[in-house]
Amino acid sequence: FRKSVLGVAGLAFTGGVFAGPIAAHADTTPVTSGKPVAAVQADKPDTSKLIPHGVQGKQSKIDLNDEQVSNVKAIIAATKKAGLPERAAVISIATSLQESKLENLGHLGDKNDHDSLGLFQQRPSSGWGTPEQITDPEYATLAFEKGLKQVDGWQDMPLTEAAQTVQVSAYPDAYAQWEQQAADLVAQHWNS
């Protein structure tokens, strides 16, 4: 089954360019008066759907610029277009955080990992699409999520396992560190 997923999705070997030590996710929980706060906005996705297994391991977080936020919104829009739930957007955004820090990367010259491009560091030589296609955030997201949909039981897998099955990275556990930030971004932008 795995070979068919790899073959059909045209999966890429990625990961080497952006791997390395990452700053730990800072606790940004607001300090309150000591009273429990149970505010839930009706327009926010249910956290239990965004992170059904809880986060795995130490979390990382980066500050995003306008371009990166725009790419988050493009990933969410493509996920909705594909008719997939919020969890698919969390997996997609966490994958992009690991692969490109949500930057739509062109060819990086000597620093390039083979011919990897775009938000998901997909490779034209592995069948992901043309360089123009895989540097289009909507196309790249839909291609990633097409591969995700072919992973049997992806909805019930830990994030890093689902992402790794599609991406086939040299650093298979690296996706887990971005789950909290990805879920926070989906909660913030899903209905905006």
Side-chain angles (χ1 to χ4, degrees):
F1 172 76
R2 184 172 171 97
K3 282 189 177 183
S4 67
V5 169
L6 297 176
V8 173
L11 301 174
F13 173 82
T14 60
V17 172
F18 295 100
I22 305 296
H25 172 37
D27 183 8
T28 57
T29 307
V31 178
T32 62
S33 62
K35 297 178 184 175
V37 178
V40 176
Q41 290 182 323
D43 64 340
K44 299 287 183 188
D46 181 357
T47 302
S48 68
K49 292 180 182 177
L50 299 177
I51 309 175
H53 305 287
V55 296
Q56 296 179 332
K58 194 173 192 173
Q59 295 295 291
S60 296
K61 183 176 181 176
I62 60 171
D63 292 328
L64 303 182
N65 62 32
D66 290 343
E67 176 192 355
Q68 291 165 306
V69 171
S70 177
N71 289 330
V72 165
K73 291 177 179 180
I75 290 170
I76 290 171
T79 302
K80 288 179 176 183
K81 182 175 184 175
L84 291 172
E86 295 95 334
R87 179 67 177 159
V90 172
I91 294 169
S92 299
I93 291 169
T95 300
S96 182
L97 277 162
Q98 175 57 31
E99 296 294 348
S100 70
K101 303 300 181 273
L102 286 165
E103 293 178 11
N104 195 11
L105 299 173
H107 196 277
L108 301 175
D110 291 342
K111 295 180 182 178
N112 222 51
D113 182 24
H114 304 282
D115 57 341
S116 301
L117 300 168
L119 294 172
F120 296 90
Q121 289 294 279
Q122 295 158 326
R123 295 179 61 198
S125 65
S126 294
W128 283 102
T130 66
E132 294 77 23
Q133 288 173 320
I134 59 180
T135 54
D136 171 46
E138 179 180 302
Y139 178 93
T141 301
L142 293 173
F144 173 80
E145 290 178 348
K146 178 181 179 184
L148 184 64
K149 288 190 290 188
Q150 294 173 10
V151 176
D152 203 22
W154 69 267
Q155 304 92 326
D156 301 317
M157 288 180 178
L159 181 143
T160 199
E161 186 178 335
Q164 171 62 8
T165 303
V166 178
Q167 292 293 99
V168 192
S169 170
Y171 303 92
D173 299 322
Y175 303 105
Q177 69 185 316
W178 300 106
E179 189 162 13
Q180 185 64 59
Q181 184 168 16
D184 292 345
L185 289 166
V186 171
Q188 181 180 0
H189 297 289
W190 184 262
N191 291 317
S192 63

